[in-house]
Amino acid sequence: MAILTVLNGPNLNMLGVREPGLYGSKTLQDIQQSVERLAQSLGHQLNFCQSNAEHEIVEQIHQAYRQGVDFIIINPAAFTHTSVAIRDALLATKIAFIEVHLSNVHAREPFRRHSYFSDIAVGVICGLGATGYELAVQAAHQLLQERTQND
Ligand SMILES: O=C(O)[C@]1(O)C=C(c2cccc(Sc3ccccc3)c2)[C@@H](O)[C@H](O)C1
């Protein structure tokens, strides 16, 4: 059994309310239920968090380290394009993570094409909506299985 933590950045608590064309019609609660069910079926524990505050996301990463979390899945939302603090927390804790975006950030405004996380992530999933979160859980599971087999 592994421990996974899913972190969500600002405004994602408003998902499903507006702009379904860009971010899909599912709410963050829908996504949480889906990934919790998937993680359980794979035998893992999953923490699911959302914050509009950068320092709270940094604290969640520190808590993940203290808790012995094996993998992080993070949608930093707007902090993707701004946050050295969250980048440094991920580097400091050395927890493997996958970066997820609901929208295809590379098909949007130029400022959304830069991420402070992609170069240090295990991988990046974008443009696949809520399915991207499920794919990230599946990928984390596979990578953790391979790590266990190689140990
Ligand atoms: O595509 C994403 O998941 C992304 O991480 C999410 C973002 C984002 C931005 C604003 C709001 C929301 S969620 C939302 C969307 C529509 C109405 C209400 C909230 C997500 C962007 O800041 C990022 O550039 C891209």
Side-chain angles (χ1 to χ4, degrees):
M1 187 275 291
I3 307 175
L4 312 178
T5 287
V6 181
L7 297 175
N8 295 278
N11 298 302
L12 288 167
N13 54 307
M14 295 292 289
L15 266 187
V17 175
R18 292 173 33 248
E19 294 192 47
L22 199 51
Y23 297 108
S25 58
K26 287 190 174 180
T27 65
L28 200 63
Q29 291 77 11
D30 294 332
I31 293 172
Q32 178 173 359
Q33 286 176 3
S34 172
V35 295
E36 284 177 344
R37 192 179 309 121
L38 175 58
Q40 187 177 27
S41 73
L42 295 170
H44 303 311
Q45 176 184 328
L46 187 139
N47 307 311
F48 195 94
C49 316
Q50 185 277 331
S51 178
N52 296 323
E54 184 180 43
H55 76 277
E56 288 183 357
I57 293 175
V58 169
E59 277 304 316
Q60 287 289 345
I61 295 166
H62 294 173
Q63 182 175 335
Y65 177 78
R66 292 191 293 267
Q67 192 184 2
V69 165
D70 300 285
F71 216 97
I72 286 176
I73 293 163
I74 184 168
N75 182 344
F79 292 149
T80 305
H81 319 296
T82 63
S83 183
V84 176
I86 296 172
R87 176 189 173 93
D88 285 348
L90 290 164
L91 285 170
T93 59
K94 294 186 169 61
I95 300 173
F97 72 94
I98 290 172
E99 179 184 352
V100 175
H101 298 287
L102 295 158
S103 67
N104 179 357
V105 291
H106 301 290
R108 301 181 63 191
E109 306 94 324
F111 75 86
R112 296 191 197 271
R113 297 172 200 163
H114 174 261
S115 164
Y116 278 94
F117 307 101
S118 298
D119 64 308
I120 59 172
V122 168
V124 182
I125 301 172
C126 70
L128 302 180
T131 303
Y133 283 80
E134 294 165 10
L135 293 171
V137 171
Q138 288 280 13
H141 169 72
Q142 187 63 38
L143 290 163
L144 290 167
Q145 294 279 83
E146 290 167 6
R147 183 193 294 178
T148 303
Q149 289 162 5
N150 295 337
D151 284 352

